Short mmCIF file of all heavy atoms in Angstrom, two decimals:
data_model
loop_
_atom_site.label_atom_id
_atom_site.label_comp_id
_atom_site.label_asym_id
_atom_site.label_seq_id
_atom_site.Cartn_x
_atom_site.Cartn_y
_atom_site.Cartn_z
N ALA R 368 109.07 334.89 129.61
CA ALA R 368 108.82 335.11 128.19
C ALA R 368 108.85 336.60 127.88
O ALA R 368 108.42 337.43 128.69
CB ALA R 368 107.48 334.50 127.79
N GLY R 369 109.35 336.93 126.70
CA GLY R 369 109.39 338.33 126.32
C GLY R 369 109.82 338.51 124.89
O GLY R 369 110.28 337.57 124.23
N GLU R 370 109.66 339.73 124.39
CA GLU R 370 110.04 340.06 123.02
C GLU R 370 111.45 340.65 123.03
O GLU R 370 111.64 341.87 122.89
CB GLU R 370 109.03 341.05 122.39
CG GLU R 370 107.69 340.43 122.07
CD GLU R 370 106.92 339.99 123.31
OE1 GLU R 370 106.74 340.81 124.22
OE2 GLU R 370 106.53 338.80 123.38
N TYR R 371 112.44 339.80 123.18
CA TYR R 371 113.80 340.28 123.35
C TYR R 371 114.40 340.81 122.05
O TYR R 371 115.27 341.68 122.07
CB TYR R 371 114.68 339.17 123.94
CG TYR R 371 114.20 338.76 125.32
CD1 TYR R 371 113.41 337.62 125.49
CD2 TYR R 371 114.50 339.52 126.43
CE1 TYR R 371 112.94 337.26 126.73
CE2 TYR R 371 114.04 339.17 127.69
CZ TYR R 371 113.26 338.03 127.83
OH TYR R 371 112.79 337.68 129.08
N SER R 372 113.94 340.30 120.91
CA SER R 372 114.44 340.81 119.63
C SER R 372 113.55 341.92 119.08
O SER R 372 113.91 342.57 118.11
CB SER R 372 114.50 339.68 118.60
OG SER R 372 113.20 339.40 118.09
N GLY R 373 112.39 342.08 119.64
CA GLY R 373 111.42 343.02 119.12
C GLY R 373 110.42 342.38 118.19
O GLY R 373 109.23 342.72 118.21
N ASP R 374 110.86 341.44 117.36
CA ASP R 374 109.99 340.80 116.38
C ASP R 374 109.60 339.38 116.76
O ASP R 374 108.90 338.70 116.01
CB ASP R 374 110.67 340.77 115.01
CG ASP R 374 110.78 342.15 114.38
OD1 ASP R 374 109.99 343.04 114.77
OD2 ASP R 374 111.67 342.34 113.52
N HIS R 375 110.10 338.90 117.89
CA HIS R 375 109.85 337.52 118.29
C HIS R 375 109.50 337.46 119.77
O HIS R 375 109.92 338.32 120.56
CB HIS R 375 111.09 336.64 118.07
CG HIS R 375 111.64 336.68 116.69
ND1 HIS R 375 112.49 337.68 116.27
CD2 HIS R 375 111.48 335.84 115.63
CE1 HIS R 375 112.83 337.45 115.01
NE2 HIS R 375 112.22 336.35 114.60
N THR R 376 108.75 336.42 120.11
CA THR R 376 108.55 336.10 121.52
C THR R 376 109.42 334.89 121.86
O THR R 376 109.36 333.87 121.18
CB THR R 376 107.08 335.78 121.83
OG1 THR R 376 106.29 336.95 121.59
CG2 THR R 376 106.91 335.34 123.28
N SER R 377 110.22 335.02 122.91
CA SER R 377 111.10 333.94 123.35
C SER R 377 110.70 333.47 124.75
O SER R 377 110.26 334.28 125.58
CB SER R 377 112.56 334.41 123.41
OG SER R 377 113.08 334.63 122.13
N TYR R 378 110.85 332.19 124.97
CA TYR R 378 110.72 331.67 126.33
C TYR R 378 111.61 330.47 126.49
O TYR R 378 112.17 329.94 125.50
CB TYR R 378 109.26 331.35 126.67
CG TYR R 378 108.65 330.18 125.93
CD1 TYR R 378 108.75 328.88 126.42
CD2 TYR R 378 107.91 330.38 124.76
CE1 TYR R 378 108.17 327.82 125.76
CE2 TYR R 378 107.32 329.34 124.09
CZ TYR R 378 107.45 328.04 124.59
OH TYR R 378 106.86 326.98 123.93
N VAL R 379 111.80 330.06 127.71
CA VAL R 379 112.71 328.96 128.04
C VAL R 379 111.92 327.79 128.58
O VAL R 379 111.05 327.95 129.45
CB VAL R 379 113.76 329.41 129.08
CG1 VAL R 379 114.56 328.22 129.61
CG2 VAL R 379 114.70 330.44 128.46
N ARG R 380 112.21 326.63 128.05
CA ARG R 380 111.66 325.37 128.58
C ARG R 380 112.77 324.63 129.32
O ARG R 380 113.92 324.63 128.88
CB ARG R 380 111.16 324.47 127.44
CG ARG R 380 109.93 324.95 126.73
CD ARG R 380 109.58 324.01 125.58
NE ARG R 380 109.42 322.64 126.04
CZ ARG R 380 108.27 322.12 126.48
NH1 ARG R 380 107.18 322.89 126.53
NH2 ARG R 380 108.19 320.87 126.87
N ARG R 381 112.41 324.01 130.41
CA ARG R 381 113.31 323.06 131.07
C ARG R 381 112.76 321.68 130.82
O ARG R 381 111.61 321.39 131.20
CB ARG R 381 113.41 323.33 132.57
CG ARG R 381 114.34 324.48 132.92
CD ARG R 381 114.63 324.48 134.42
NE ARG R 381 115.54 325.54 134.79
CZ ARG R 381 116.86 325.43 134.78
NH1 ARG R 381 117.42 324.32 134.38
NH2 ARG R 381 117.61 326.44 135.17
N GLU R 382 113.54 320.82 130.20
CA GLU R 382 113.09 319.48 129.85
C GLU R 382 114.00 318.44 130.49
O GLU R 382 115.20 318.67 130.69
CB GLU R 382 113.08 319.31 128.33
CG GLU R 382 112.11 320.25 127.64
CD GLU R 382 112.10 320.11 126.13
OE1 GLU R 382 113.00 319.42 125.59
OE2 GLU R 382 111.20 320.69 125.50
N ALA R 383 113.43 317.30 130.78
CA ALA R 383 114.21 316.22 131.37
C ALA R 383 115.31 315.77 130.41
O ALA R 383 115.15 315.80 129.18
CB ALA R 383 113.30 315.04 131.70
N VAL R 384 116.44 315.35 130.98
CA VAL R 384 117.59 314.94 130.18
C VAL R 384 117.35 313.57 129.56
O VAL R 384 117.69 313.32 128.41
CB VAL R 384 118.85 314.92 131.07
CG1 VAL R 384 120.05 314.37 130.32
CG2 VAL R 384 119.16 316.32 131.59
N GLY R 385 116.79 312.63 130.35
CA GLY R 385 116.58 311.26 129.88
C GLY R 385 116.86 310.27 130.99
O GLY R 385 116.47 310.48 132.14
N VAL R 386 117.56 309.21 130.66
CA VAL R 386 117.96 308.22 131.66
C VAL R 386 119.26 308.69 132.32
O VAL R 386 120.24 308.98 131.63
CB VAL R 386 118.17 306.83 131.03
CG1 VAL R 386 118.67 305.83 132.08
CG2 VAL R 386 116.87 306.33 130.40
N VAL R 387 119.25 308.77 133.64
CA VAL R 387 120.42 309.17 134.41
C VAL R 387 121.06 307.93 135.00
O VAL R 387 120.37 307.09 135.60
CB VAL R 387 120.03 310.16 135.52
CG1 VAL R 387 121.25 310.53 136.37
CG2 VAL R 387 119.38 311.41 134.94
N GLY R 388 122.36 307.80 134.85
CA GLY R 388 123.10 306.71 135.48
C GLY R 388 123.96 307.27 136.59
O GLY R 388 124.91 308.01 136.32
N SER R 389 123.65 306.95 137.84
CA SER R 389 124.33 307.55 138.98
C SER R 389 125.07 306.51 139.81
O SER R 389 124.64 305.36 139.89
CB SER R 389 123.32 308.27 139.88
OG SER R 389 122.79 309.40 139.22
#
Side-chain angles (χ1 to χ4, degrees):
E370 288 66 53
Y371 298 99
S372 78
D374 290 337
H375 306 83
T376 296
S377 290
Y378 68 88
V379 170
R380 290 177 57 88
R381 280 193 179 272
E382 298 179 349
V384 175
V386 176
V387 177
S389 292

